[in-house]
Amino acid sequence: MSINYKKPSVMVDIAIFTLHEKTLKVLLVKRGIPPFQDHWALPGGGVRVDQEASIFDKTLEDAAKRELLEETGAKTHYLEQLRTYGSDSRDPREWTVSVAYFALLPYAAIQVQSGSDAADARWWSIKDNRVPVQLAFDHQQILHDAIQRLQAKVEYTAIAVHLLPNAFTLTELQRTYEYLLEAKLDKSSFRRRVHNAGIVKIIPGQFREGSNRPAQLYCFAKKTQKNVFFPRSADRNLG
Amino acid sequence: MSINYKKPSVMVDIAIFTLHEKTLKVLLVKRGIPPFQDHWALPGGGVRVDQEASIFDKTLEDAAKRELLEETGAKTHYLEQLRTYGSDSRDPREWTVSVAYFALLPYAAIQVQSGSDAADARWWSIKDNRVPVQLAFDHQQILHDAIQRLQAKVEYTAIAVHLLPNAFTLTELQRTYEYLLEAKLDKSSFRRRVHNAGIVKIIPGQFREGSNRPAQLYCFAKKTQKNVFFPRSADRNLG
DNA sequence: TTGACTTAGTGTTGAAATTCAACTAACATT
DNA sequence: AATGTTAGTTGAATTTCAACACTAAGTCAA
């Protein structure tokens, strides 16, 4: 068995997304040490598998959650495994495996913090499926895949609710979808699909007030409804 | 960096699917050595990262292709990364990471071979999203996830063509979808969708002959068409 | 108090997609 | 030439859905 073989290093990297000022943003950290010193990179680090050590991850997901907490100070809202990258060339030092995750958080929930290895950390706006800076390792590729996955899932799941605070109006939810899909959606179609899919629940008696008609507040309905939601008009407008 | 830390072992496991006798089947091997000796398991093994050794994998996918070839003698028809499993408890010996793949092959293309570690290898029919035998490690979980992914993709992609030989009739393609989805599909709807999606090409002048009207043979059109295909009637019938 | 303004939320309708079932086509067999 | 079987098409009935117009409920300014 492979137990006696040479082993690759195993990392966890996370693409942490939020929505702010009508734009999708991703959290990047500036590397403080080589390789790729001073390059921006996805937050991440080695999986800690030494039971005696002060930090110990029982699972890969635990490692991802730990990184997420270290970087944002936020408890996990949405965390999904993206895919795993492994080769002899992605890190100049050695054969490495990176298990990539992506996370969604409401902007308000986050307090950006610099981790130990990171000289700096900040949000970067995503334009044309990329970020306007060169990234370390194959992180440009990982980020690209993460954005693709996010956009694909936006089209047929309720995933976008995780970018909003606990209580939100249907108009806010629609705007979120519109920013992510870069398309305008029809109001009544949107509401019909949201209701049919059963992805939200009315919060009885709670409204968003303003200088106009108050809007009903909703929260995410946890039912693991699958495959129900699909803003079809986005197809055409994106073309 | 994690370079100095203790490392987990990294494996690649593959769920190899085919369709035979109207049933989805998966290839399992009987383990010849502990742990889980004599249990059935997904084919797999350690990623070889030692550049000096006789076997060396440049990438994770290379490792998966190598396992696939060792086990089936077939060149890769369809291979996709599923997800990665890693924890301190999935292998009784140590912290392990398994990068799981799933592969689709036409039944005729495969010559099952026993790999070095495997005492035996054979196809198992899938009933109710599982196989009627206890599997080693967390392979029951991996297999379950693989079946879920396969069934989900059948509904909106042309993935099922990879279970058929190079040339096939539209009726054969429809039967394939019906067996996978466990639902009856309408002939005219099915053909309309297949044509609109552009997932197949006529092979001019080639027909499947029999004691009835000959059927046009088609082949897979490689265009990476995305998200085009969706046998909607499966929704209802599956409930 | 009233009317202008703004955003929330609902109905209505025509067009497109889908189902269902009947139909024609092309072979072999007898 | 009649029969059986599977290939492949057609069109009417039905359902779904995007587009757009509409109503509802508040604030604000005069």
Side-chain angles (χ1 to χ4, degrees), chain A residues 186 188-189 192-193 210-213 232:
Chain A
D186 178 77
S188 84
S189 298
R192 171 174 38 75
R193 288 199 203 90
S211 61
N212 45 32
R213 177 174 172 174
R232 172 177 294 204

Side-chain angles (χ1 to χ4, degrees), chain B:
Chain B
M1 285 300 294
S2 69
I3 296 234
N4 302 317
Y5 296 155
K6 195 173 168 186
K7 296 175 180 177
S9 285
V10 179
M11 321 274 183
V12 165
D13 292 310
I14 319 183
I16 304 170
F17 293 109
T18 197
L19 195 65
H20 184 55
E21 290 167 341
K22 308 188 176 184
T23 315
L24 182 65
K25 308 207 169 190
V26 66
L27 187 66
L28 298 179
V29 299
K30 197 176 198 175
R31 286 179 61 81
I33 56 170
F36 293 100
Q37 185 162 13
D38 296 328
H39 280 66
W40 291 88
L42 296 173
V47 178
R48 308 301 186 91
V49 302
D50 186 354
Q51 205 149 6
E52 312 302 318
S54 59
I55 302 179
F56 174 66
D57 302 313
K58 275 187 78 68
T59 67
L60 284 173
E61 194 166 306
D62 284 351
K65 281 181 183 162
R66 178 173 53 75
E67 290 290 341
L68 187 60
L69 183 68
E70 284 174 10
E71 224 58 60
T72 66
K75 77 177 204 300
T76 306
H77 284 243
Y78 183 84
L79 183 70
E80 170 181 329
Q81 193 182 299
L82 177 62
R83 68 169 277 145
T84 298
Y85 303 80
S87 77
D88 65 339
S89 57
R90 56 183 301 278
D91 185 312
R93 293 166 295 181
E94 56 167 347
W95 222 107
T96 57
V97 170
S98 167
V99 184
Y101 283 78
F102 81 92
L104 303 183
L105 293 169
Y107 185 75
I110 306 159
Q111 195 68 22
V112 173
Q113 353 207 281
S114 293
S116 49
D117 295 351
D120 199 2
R122 55 165 280 219
W123 292 108
W124 287 80
S125 293
I126 290 163
K127 270 278 183 191
D128 301 325
N129 278 12
R130 58 190 304 284
V131 109
V133 66
Q134 223 196 321
L135 299 188
F137 305 108
D138 52 0
H139 287 193
Q140 192 68 257
Q141 177 69 48
I142 298 177
L143 177 60
H144 179 262
D145 292 348
I147 296 168
Q148 293 286 115
R149 170 82 66 91
L150 174 59
Q151 291 202 335
K153 285 205 126 178
V154 165
E155 293 208 345
Y156 66 93
T157 73
I159 200 174
V161 298
H162 299 285
L163 293 167
L164 290 170
N166 282 339
F168 50 85
T169 69
L170 289 186
T171 302
E172 289 164 0
L173 182 59
Q174 183 177 342
R175 295 281 171 269
T176 302
Y177 273 93
E178 289 177 345
Y179 300 144
L180 291 175
L181 294 170
E182 295 178 63
K184 284 205 176 106
L185 303 178
D186 178 74
K187 182 159 57 162
S188 75
S189 300
F190 182 82
R191 295 167 103 90
R192 174 173 37 74
R193 288 199 199 89
V194 167
H195 281 124
N196 287 348
I199 61 180
V200 296
K201 269 193 319 222
I202 287 179
I203 309 179
Q206 289 211 34
F207 299 89
R208 169 124 321 146
E209 315 268 344
S211 61
N212 46 34
R213 175 173 175 177
Q216 177 67 57
L217 284 174
Y218 290 80
C219 66
F220 180 43
K222 266 131 207 156
K223 322 182 192 176
T224 334
Q225 206 100 15
K226 52 176 178 177
N227 242 41
V228 267
F229 182 68
F230 184 69
R232 172 179 292 205
S233 48
D235 284 349
R236 321 249 161 96
N237 301 344
L238 284 174

